[in-house]
Amino acid sequence: MKTNVMRMLDRAHIPYETATYEYDENDLSGVHAAAQVTVITLEQCFKTLVARADTKTLFVYCIPVAAELDLKAAAAASGQKRVELIHVKELPVLTGYLRGGCSPIGMKKPYPVYIDESAKKYDRIGISGGHRGIQVILAPEALEQIVHGQFATLIRKN
């Protein structure tokens, strides 16, 4: 199955590989999916979160699946006073993606994208391929390039 994410990567001549997994409606974190993607480690699997600022502007944050978004750090990275995650019901309308298949690549509109700096530790990371059950694995710098993203500190430190 070729998704729009894959077609966009192909058009941009960005190398990637794909991995599939069984989608679990009850796994809100993505850890279940990451455990099935055996070509990379859990730490290399990233989830995509969408947040709204006080200004009503939307921002996209890519963080490791097992991590939690630090909303204060996310707001600071995006130059906002505060941000809060959008409701899951808004996701398809605003991005064109369903929960569990939301990719920072190919959203309905080009929102500012921030990628947790931990991604730079790896040669490649996994993100949603734009459909539940599909991951694309690519270089973090390639993701930064295609979404015009920025690396930032975004996760809570325990």
Side-chain angles (χ1 to χ4, degrees):
M1 171 185 202
K2 197 76 130 165
T3 66
N4 284 337
V5 170
M6 294 174 209
R7 285 192 264 298
M8 290 180 76
L9 290 168
D10 289 343
R11 277 194 302 274
H13 305 288
I14 293 176
Y16 66 94
E17 61 184 286
T18 62
T20 59
Y21 62 90
E22 258 331 287
Y23 176 71
D24 182 354
E25 185 72 38
N26 298 315
D27 178 24
L28 300 178
S29 69
V31 173
H32 171 78
Q36 296 177 60
V37 179
T38 58
V39 295
I40 55 177
T41 66
L42 174 70
E43 295 79 18
Q44 290 171 274
C45 288
F46 281 60
K47 60 187 171 186
T48 303
L49 303 173
V50 181
R52 181 178 286 116
D54 290 339
T55 60
K56 305 298 181 215
T57 303
L58 294 181
F59 297 93
V60 176
Y61 302 100
C62 298
I63 65 169
V65 293
E68 189 176 332
L69 182 66
D70 181 330
L71 292 173
K72 287 184 180 182
S78 50
Q80 303 298 307
K81 290 184 181 178
R82 89 183 254 268
V83 296
E84 65 180 48
L85 294 176
I86 65 168
H87 194 280
V88 71
K89 290 178 184 174
E90 294 180 277
L91 199 58
V93 174
L94 297 172
T95 68
Y97 293 122
L98 298 172
R99 189 186 103 227
C102 185
S103 179
I105 301 170
M107 291 189 174
K108 282 184 171 183
K109 293 182 181 178
Y111 301 116
V113 176
Y114 297 87
I115 307 158
D116 188 68
E117 66 183 6
S118 64
K120 294 193 290 187
K121 294 191 295 190
Y122 307 106
D123 291 338
R124 57 198 191 139
I125 60 170
I127 60 165
S128 174
H131 192 273
R132 291 173 173 169
I134 300 175
Q135 287 269 300
V136 292
I137 296 136
L138 72 170
E141 296 78 15
L143 175 61
E144 176 192 33
Q145 173 192 337
I146 196 160
V147 298
H148 306 289
Q150 294 180 39
F151 290 104
T153 301
L154 300 173
I155 59 174
R156 290 190 185 198
K157 307 289 187 207
N158 294 335

